[in-house]
Amino acid sequence: MQQTRLRILDALADGPVSGPDLAAWLDISRNAVWKHVEALREEGFDIESSDDGYRLQSVPEYGEAALQFDLDPEYEIEYHESIASTNSRARALAADGGSDVVVVADEQTGGRGRLGREWVSPSGGVWLSILTRPDIPPHSAPAYTLAAAVATARAVQSVGAGATIKWPNDVQLDGKKLAGILTEMEGEADRVSWVVVGIGLNANVDPGDLRSEQPATSLQATVGEINRRELVQTLLAEFADLTTDLDAVVPAWREFATTLGTRVRVETGDSEVVGEAVDVAFPGTLIVETDEGRVEVTTGDCEHLRPAE
Ligand code: BTN
């Protein structure tokens, strides 16, 4: 979003400001201030004019300007009403040298899930991908996925729903899938070049529209329609905070985990590990106590089993 418009919004957020004061502060003409205010109104910002000056009455529910306004971490928002996949777009931006960009879409027409699956992404959900260039070795990158799961669970908590996490990164409500994370990266042997963390959260959508392989739910179906702008801003602030100290991610993840202490079956692609999930170690490795001893699982599809299975 245009810097001048963001500065106008920041100024109006604290109360009414007159046109001449804004013009002097921004070093532009009063006519230019008026044009920016009109443009903001067209983007859905409700800006009232009175004798005291301009006053910001309300912010649009979603969209680029709404998300960028008052965003705490320093990410640039790129918003699309509809796009094939925010992860694919973020990867293209990475190839062009981009960083600290969050691609957000109202709808995805080719959403991608883990293990090559489709991710159904109707209008009303939260579909976003965070592109960063962290100074970490590639083996630490899974901690970014866990951080995204924790950030999502905390954002879901902030709207009054009690989220849990199934290893590695399924955010659930009442045992049904609410959100998933797809992390993609590129790097050298000792350093990550870029990471794209894609988060799909069934927010204001009907679970009947999700066509998911496993039972799925949405915030709309559990707590009702939520303000996606506030939720995304909370999520991004939590993610930025968690990734400043990767050692704190696994302990934060454990607070939401339902997998630990549970009997699990993990499909790892070429084999299957069955036993009790006893812990998660940095950067996200599941430790399973099997009949043959402890097994460390770094990736796979995890199913929670009933004790007798
Ligand atoms: C999973 O299979 O659990 C992960 C799903 C990840 C979906 C998100 S939606 C935003 C981003 N763009 C994509 O194409 N996928 C991820």
Side-chain angles (χ1 to χ4, degrees), residues 85-87 108 111-114 119 128-129 177 180-181 199-200:
S85 156
T86 56
N87 260 44
Q108 291 185 125
R112 297 189 282 115
R114 289 176 66 227
W119 181 262
L128 65 84
S129 301
K177 185 152 172 166
I181 290 144
I199 302 173

Side-chain angles (χ1 to χ4, degrees), residues 78-94 102-114 116-122 126-131 181-184 196-200:
E78 182 186 290
Y79 180 81
H80 301 264
E81 288 294 332
S82 182
I83 196 171
S85 156
T86 56
N87 260 44
S88 301
R89 173 63 187 152
R91 290 182 66 122
L93 291 171
V102 184
V103 182
V104 184
D106 177 50
E107 171 197 65
Q108 291 185 125
T109 52
R112 297 189 282 115
R114 289 176 66 227
R117 294 182 184 128
E118 177 194 14
W119 181 262
V120 179
S121 322
V126 166
W127 324 120
L128 65 84
S129 301
I130 307 164
L131 164 62
I181 290 144
L182 175 67
T183 300
E184 299 179 289
V196 168
V197 180
I199 302 173

Side-chain angles (χ1 to χ4, degrees), residues 43-197:
E43 290 192 62
F45 289 87
D46 182 4
I47 300 173
E48 186 194 74
S49 318
S50 70
D51 292 346
D52 297 339
Y54 295 113
R55 184 194 295 269
L56 180 60
Q57 298 285 47
S58 70
V59 177
E61 194 261 330
Y62 217 40
E64 190 161 301
L67 287 165
Q68 195 78 69
F69 167 62
D70 231 7
L71 181 66
D72 198 17
E74 301 217 333
Y75 294 125
E76 186 193 323
I77 303 286
E78 182 186 290
Y79 180 81
H80 301 264
E81 288 294 332
S82 182
I83 196 171
S85 156
T86 56
N87 260 44
S88 301
R89 173 63 187 152
R91 290 182 66 122
L93 291 171
D96 281 349
S99 186
D100 298 322
V101 181
V102 184
V103 182
V104 184
D106 177 50
E107 171 197 65
Q108 291 185 125
T109 52
R112 297 189 282 115
R114 289 176 66 227
L115 309 170
R117 294 182 184 128
E118 177 194 14
W119 181 262
V120 179
S121 322
S123 167
V126 166
W127 324 120
L128 65 84
S129 301
I130 307 164
L131 164 62
T132 58
R133 293 181 184 271
D135 189 9
I136 57 167
H139 74 259
S140 296
Y144 267 63
T145 308
L146 264 61
V150 175
T152 305
R154 287 182 179 166
V156 167
Q157 247 179 2
S158 76
V159 298
T164 55
I165 304 175
K166 179 164 82 86
W167 184 86
N169 49 34
D170 278 1
V171 178
Q172 299 189 320
L173 280 182
D174 302 323
K176 292 182 183 167
K177 185 152 172 166
L178 177 73
I181 290 144
L182 175 67
T183 300
E184 299 179 289
M185 56 170 259
E186 196 174 88
E188 312 286 311
D190 59 343
R191 231 189 123 260
V192 159
S193 167
W194 54 257
V195 178
V196 168
V197 180

